[in-house]
Amino acid sequence: MDNAPSHNDKQQAEYSVVVDIRQLSDAPAKISATAQERAALAKRFDIIAIEELSATIGYRHDDAAVIATGRLSADIVQQCVVSLEPFSTNITHDFSIVFQPAETVSDLPEQETESGDDSFEIDSDDCDVMIYADGRFDIGEAVAQTLALELDPFPRGPNAEDVAKAHGLVTEVPKDNPFAMLEQLKPKG
């Protein structure tokens, strides 16, 4: 693997680690993003910082496809949606991504809906398939996309509950009665 530029026509990937399938080995590979790449990804994901981003990845061939399985590890800094304070968290996630050659992938099915929009349905198994061309794929971009999916869209820092209570944003609900909250919403009188 090398840190060659991405072959994405629309824009250059912030974190690009291009893999040539002819040079894959059986030994797991470790990749890590540089400070510049992490800063660019943090900007893309609209978070304060990515202090560390690495992945250990093993590859295996399945006919023309390559299956990459590994573990992503990231130390990130996000802003709490309640207190607005920055806080650090670690994300560790196991992943499996199938890289399918473009020439073996048929076009996505198109269906005409009543509204006139073209649409199609995919199931969860379709979400971890990425397309490659010319015998090369970008595992760096795949790791970046995996991280993006693991980010909490509404991150709550360690002081979120205290700040919410101090501003009257939290109502205590007895845990033994799931309908207690509904009772509080009922009009009085």
Side-chain angles (χ1 to χ4, degrees), residues 11-141:
Q11 65 181 2
Q12 178 132 347
E14 295 88 348
Y15 180 42
S16 182
V17 180
V18 177
V19 175
D20 187 322
I21 64 167
R22 297 169 294 241
Q23 297 175 350
L24 290 177
S25 72
D26 292 336
K30 181 164 182 167
I31 62 172
S32 296
T34 66
Q36 182 179 358
E37 291 165 332
R38 293 190 315 267
L41 285 172
K43 182 177 179 181
R44 172 177 161 188
F45 301 148
D46 196 25
I47 62 175
I48 295 171
I50 300 174
E51 295 175 339
E52 185 63 38
L53 173 59
S54 63
T56 302
I57 308 155
Y59 301 99
R60 70 179 172 85
H61 289 273
D62 184 16
D63 293 326
V66 175
I67 301 170
T69 55
R71 173 168 277 204
L72 159 83
S73 180
D75 292 325
I76 65 168
V77 179
Q78 289 182 285
Q79 184 176 26
C80 175
V81 296
V82 177
S83 69
L84 303 180
E85 297 172 333
F87 71 99
S88 298
T89 190
N90 176 267
I91 295 174
T92 303
H93 179 71
D94 293 328
F95 62 88
S96 180
I97 302 169
V98 178
F99 290 92
Q100 194 72 28
E103 60 271 8
T104 65
V105 178
S106 62
D107 291 335
L108 293 172
E110 292 186 14
Q111 299 173 351
E112 194 69 28
T113 63
E114 291 178 16
S115 65
D117 295 332
D118 290 335
S119 66
F120 55 91
E121 289 187 29
I122 60 174
D123 61 29
S124 62
D125 292 335
D126 294 328
C127 296
D128 59 356
V129 175
M130 297 183 81
I131 308 304
Y132 73 87
D134 302 325
R136 296 163 47 115
F137 59 86
D138 191 344
I139 192 67
E141 176 59 18

